[in-house]
Amino acid sequence: MMLKLCYSSKDQSQNQTPMALTSQENAPSMLTFAYYQRYFDVDTPQVKERLVWSFIPRPSRDTLTHYIRPSPDLYGPLWICVTLVFCVAIMGNIADYLHSGGEGQHWRYDFRKVSISASTIFSYALLLPLVLWLLLWWRRKEGDQTPLGFIEIVSLYGYSLAIYIPISVLLTIPFPILQWTLVILGAALSGSVLVLSLWPPLSATKRGVAVIILSAILAFHFLLAAGLQLYFFRYTDHVVVVSGNNDGTSRGHLRAVDSLAFDKVTELQPLSFIREIEKNSPSGSTNVETTDPKTTRTLVHLSAAPLVTGIEGEKLTLLPERVAVTASYSVSKDAIGHSEIPKIITKSSYGDGSTIGV
Amino acid sequence: MEEFSSLPPFSSPSNEDYLVDVSGKMDSIPSISKPVNGEGKPEFNTLDEPIRLTIVRDLKAVGNKFLHVLYPRHQASLLTEWDLWGPLILCTFMALLLQGRSDSTDHDGGPEFAEVFVIVWVGAMAVTINTKLLGGTISFFQSVCVLGYCLLPLSIALGLCRIVLLLQQNTMFFILRCGFSLTAFFWAVWAAMKFLGDSSPPRRKVLAAYPIGLFYFVIAWLVVSLSNS
């Protein structure tokens, strides 16, 4: 019996080692190291194969059955997720850097991006398989084929994220059409591999339910890709008009980044913004009245006061105590057709709480 | 690291005659003044020696390992006599240089001191656990030791980048900093693979090497993203 197992397992997958065989006879407990070693029992050619077939849908031989099922592994999903986390964070920073025009100095590494992308990606890779597995386990009926194992689903999901790594590199190119094309293409390819792989086990249930589940899977996949793109790589230009103070004596045209970018944990928007302030505001807008402290508050600075104190032309004396900025993001066009940032409200620390709306 | 041999304890010399006075004490061999480099184990009770000598000996061992990282020849030195002093020194050095300014807004950009520690140590542990799960034959601390010591090129690059940042920045200097970082990255990966390469199973070398590359890549990224603000 043992010999027969040995030979059949050797036929099935060419890399079945004796270690896996002994683990069948005495399954190690979850507390031992050997338990987890089972899920790292892959070789380099196997991993490469699984990576390639994770985004090339082939209806005749789906990835799960033919490539993953003999020995599902956790190596691939783990390192693909980690790579994707760092890749997205780093490429997001590079996108900031390129968008700011290549200033060599202000390229920063933000940890919050890493933690946000890590939570998103790991929860996608772990929670969705868990939900799916529970669903399948709950709906199984007598006489069905053996239900999918949890590790198999995690494996499948993990490998399906592999295509997002090169896509995230390409997403630094700042053309929205290209970005959306890449996102849709990537999500479609790996999503179709997911669907094709999960179709046989799900088809045991009622067809309508299966279709619903599969379309939900596909929808979440698209959602992840779109979410990553929107959160980390979104940059467009708006032309805005900021009026100086309430009587509108100083005006300047400023280019600010997309309002969504203010929310993001990137730091370089202020740089391009401030550059434009420097370029535009002193020449066009200085008059005598603008040098009093009230007027100085009209310049919008977004994150830290020191950024704006670099402006020489107007003798700005912004105190380091915060001028808190809340910007509301509806962009409307006035009669002449200029887009404005309406209602950039600055609450100054000078106490009079003047709000400057545009 | 040091062995305590079971010799009959000799009577402790007074402070000023540790320059050996062997008169009448030929039974025991006080070799305190002889620095050891690891080739011969000291045959005395190291508790009685001055602290300066202990520290110097340990620093020499650490420095020796640094040299082996820079010119990896003999595998054994890092693996059999592992210690974690070197990684700690390097990690502290890098964390000090990399941390962002504390008096500015929350994401001024640099990682906090503790964040660098977390990245280095948790990263080294993750890579080590990965190697062991794939079937590697190296012990946990040996692997962490090697990964920590191979941070040396990146620390050197970080120091150089910091010096470059003292000058007025332009694109040329940025490319220079990228060059330092990239060189250090490849050097670190190469050195680590020389030490750790033999310990993973033959068909899984790439699988074991990839997380090492990723680990050093993230740290190299931190080095590049150091800025003057």
Side-chain angles (χ1 to χ4, degrees), chain A residues 168-305:
Chain A
S168 70
V169 175
L170 292 174
L171 280 178
T172 54
I173 305 171
F175 298 119
I177 300 180
L178 181 66
Q179 288 180 335
W180 281 111
T181 314
L182 282 171
V183 161
I184 292 177
L185 191 65
L189 281 177
S190 53
S192 59
V193 168
L194 273 181
V195 164
L196 284 171
S197 298
L198 290 171
W199 173 250
L202 277 177
S203 59
T205 61
K206 277 203 317 250
R207 186 150 284 226
V209 174
V211 167
I212 293 177
I213 295 178
L214 284 177
S215 39
I217 290 174
L218 206 57
F220 274 113
H221 211 62
F222 271 99
L223 213 63
L224 178 75
L228 287 178
Q229 192 259 340
L230 283 174
Y231 192 78
F232 290 98
F233 294 100
R234 181 62 177 269
Y235 277 98
T236 59
D237 288 326
H238 276 345
V239 177
V240 295
V241 170
V242 172
S243 81
N245 43 10
N246 287 332
D247 53 288
T249 48
S250 57
R251 245 171 211 281
H253 282 262
L254 294 165
R255 284 162 68 86
V257 296
D258 184 31
S259 57
L260 277 176
F262 292 168
D263 274 334
K264 294 172 13 171
V265 294
T266 60
E267 299 84 359
L268 288 172
Q269 294 84 356
L271 179 65
S272 53
F273 198 16
I274 297 308
R275 245 187 321 127
E276 297 299 334
I277 294 178
E278 290 177 17
K279 251 197 308 207
N280 295 312
S281 54
S283 53
S285 61
T286 327
N287 51 22
V288 179
E289 294 97 84
T290 63
T291 57
D292 67 83
K294 185 178 190 300
T295 317
T296 62
R297 276 178 253 130
T298 67
L299 275 175
V300 179
H301 62 100
L302 296 164
S303 57

Side-chain angles (χ1 to χ4, degrees), chain A residues 6 27 32 51 67 84 127 155 178-179 182 228 232 248 250 252-254 279 308 316 318 349 356-357:
Chain A
C6 182
T32 66
L51 279 175
Y67 294 105
L84 187 60
L127 286 182
S155 227
L178 181 66
Q179 288 180 335
L182 282 171
L228 287 178
F232 290 98
S250 57
H253 282 262
L254 294 165
K279 251 197 308 207
V308 186
L316 294 176
L318 288 165
S349 61
I356 297 94

Side-chain angles (χ1 to χ4, degrees), chain B residues 70-99:
Chain B
L70 289 179
Y71 305 107
R73 276 187 310 265
H74 309 294
Q75 263 192 347
S77 64
L78 247 74
L79 288 179
T80 56
E81 299 172 359
W82 60 266
D83 71 274
L84 293 178
W85 284 112
L88 183 65
I89 294 173
L90 290 175
C91 190
T92 310
F93 172 72
M94 293 187 78
L96 279 173
L97 284 186
L98 277 175
Q99 63 176 347

Side-chain angles (χ1 to χ4, degrees), chain A residues 78-138:
Chain A
L78 175 68
W79 290 108
I80 289 175
C81 287
V82 171
T83 310
L84 187 60
V85 163
F86 283 113
C87 212
V88 162
I90 288 177
M91 292 304 153
N93 272 317
I94 291 185
D96 292 351
Y97 172 74
L98 291 177
H99 187 264
S100 75
E103 305 257 319
Q105 180 97 343
H106 298 270
W107 179 355
R108 297 175 194 161
Y109 182 81
D110 191 7
F111 247 76
R112 269 167 42 187
K113 267 195 181 169
V114 173
S115 57
I116 290 172
S117 66
S119 345
T120 316
I121 289 168
F122 274 101
S123 56
Y124 178 82
L126 287 175
L127 286 182
L128 273 179
L130 186 67
V131 166
L132 189 62
W133 179 69
L134 286 174
L135 205 61
L136 285 176
W137 177 80
W138 175 56

